[in-house]
């Protein structure tokens, strides 16, 4: 058993929290880019593409994130691709995030009135121009609050990456607990740090939702 002061515990957890934040940001940005691409091809209207994207979304929404990380981390080496825990966690969370963001944004795009599409088509705009100049700017107002709200789920989802050996906040908490035998203190600090990361995002999402609701009126 090692002697750790409260500051030692907090300091080491803060170091690990950097990786939690970095993994969350990386997965959210990459997942957003993939989700936007999937949204564009799904909205284009090709029936086969729509089925493929829908299957992709349902696959990642309908299976546990833990299983997805296991498949990436242990499955890729079977085809000769050795990946580090960081790469596996990033890839798994990116796919998970993209599936949910695609569905969130699809609902926002479909909430735009059909008349907007027809009016822009009457002006001679193609699909890309309709999305860029007419539909997406309006859908953005609707999409921002739930997108920011979902970012909280991404942050909490990073905890699952500890299972494949990625040392983030939860994994560091487990390692420190094994050294100090003070689980209540250590996991209490871990919980507080997750709260300090997630609660501002929840408040921001609530603020945006109220702001956009006020503007809509």
């Amino acid at each position: 058993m090692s002697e750790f002061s409260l500051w030692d515990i907090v300091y080491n957890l803060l170091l690990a929290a950097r990786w939690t934040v970095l993994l969350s940001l990386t997965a959210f940005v990459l997942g957003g880019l993939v989700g936007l691409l999937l949204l564009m091809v799904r909205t284009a209207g090709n029936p086969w593409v729509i089925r493929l994207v829908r299957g992709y979304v349902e696959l990642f929404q309908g299976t546990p994130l833990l299983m997805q990380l296991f498949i990436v981390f242990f499955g890729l080496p079977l085809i000769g691709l050795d990946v580090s825990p960081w790469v596996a966690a990033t890839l798994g969370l990116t796919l998970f995030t993209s599936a949910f963001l695609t569905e969130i944004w699809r609902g926002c795009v479909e909430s735009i009135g059909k008349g907007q599409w027809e009016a822009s088509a009457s002006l001679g705009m193609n699909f890309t121009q309709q999305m860029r100049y007419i539909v997406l700017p309006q859908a953005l107002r609707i999409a921002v609050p739930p997108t920011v709200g979902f970012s909280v789920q991404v942050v909490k989802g990073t905890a699952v990456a500890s299972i494949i050996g990625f040392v983030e906040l939860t994994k560091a908490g487990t390692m420190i607990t094994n050294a100090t035998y003070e689980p209540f203190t250590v996991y209490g600090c871990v919980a507080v740090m997750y709260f300090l990361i997630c609660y501002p995002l929840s408040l921001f999402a609530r603020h945006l939702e109220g702001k956009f609701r006020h503007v809509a009126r």
Side-chain angles (χ1 to χ4, degrees):
M1 174 178 166
S2 302
E3 291 294 332
F4 277 68
S5 67
L6 180 60
W7 167 245
D8 291 330
I9 294 172
V10 171
Y11 178 73
N12 283 281
L13 289 177
L14 285 173
L15 293 178
R18 299 177 304 170
W19 290 103
T20 292
V21 173
L22 181 60
L23 179 58
S24 301
L25 288 174
T26 304
F28 194 77
V29 171
L30 294 179
L33 292 175
V34 175
L36 182 60
L37 176 63
L38 293 174
L39 172 69
M40 295 292 287
V41 298
R42 179 171 182 170
T43 311
N46 185 300
W48 288 104
V49 173
I50 291 175
R51 290 191 184 96
L52 286 175
V53 175
R54 185 183 299 154
Y56 173 90
V57 170
E58 291 178 354
L59 173 64
F60 286 99
Q61 284 189 339
T63 54
L65 176 58
L66 177 61
M67 294 298 103
Q68 297 167 22
L69 291 177
F70 275 156
I71 290 173
V72 173
F73 186 65
F74 295 109
L76 290 181
L78 295 178
I79 58 174
L81 298 175
D82 290 325
V83 293
S84 65
W86 162 257
V87 173
T90 301
L91 181 56
L93 278 165
T94 295
L95 297 174
F96 171 81
T97 302
S98 66
F100 279 87
L101 289 181
T102 298
E103 197 65 11
I104 290 171
W105 294 343
R106 179 192 63 81
C108 296
V109 167
E110 290 184 354
S111 69
I112 304 302
K114 191 176 181 181
Q116 299 288 327
W117 290 92
E118 294 172 347
S120 57
S122 69
L123 294 175
M125 291 184 176
N126 57 33
F127 173 75
T128 303
Q129 292 172 326
Q130 288 177 306
M131 290 292 286
R132 180 179 177 182
Y133 297 111
I134 305 298
V135 177
L136 289 182
Q138 297 181 73
L140 179 63
R141 280 188 178 180
I142 307 170
V144 168
T147 300
V148 175
F150 178 70
S151 67
V152 175
Q153 303 303 317
V154 177
V155 173
K156 291 189 289 186
T158 60
V160 183
S162 63
I163 301 297
I164 60 172
F166 181 69
V167 183
E168 41 65 69
L169 189 51
T170 300
K171 183 68 172 179
T174 301
M175 294 168 67
I176 295 171
T177 297
N178 291 338
T180 63
Y181 295 97
E182 297 182 22
F184 183 81
T185 301
V186 175
Y187 286 121
C189 292
V190 169
V192 168
M193 289 185 187
Y194 273 117
F195 179 79
L196 292 176
I197 296 171
C198 295
Y199 188 62
L201 291 173
S202 299
L203 289 180
F204 186 49
R206 197 178 307 162
H207 167 73
L208 290 174
E209 186 175 0
K211 180 178 179 180
F212 289 134
R213 187 184 297 120
H214 179 73
V215 170
R217 289 176 181 174

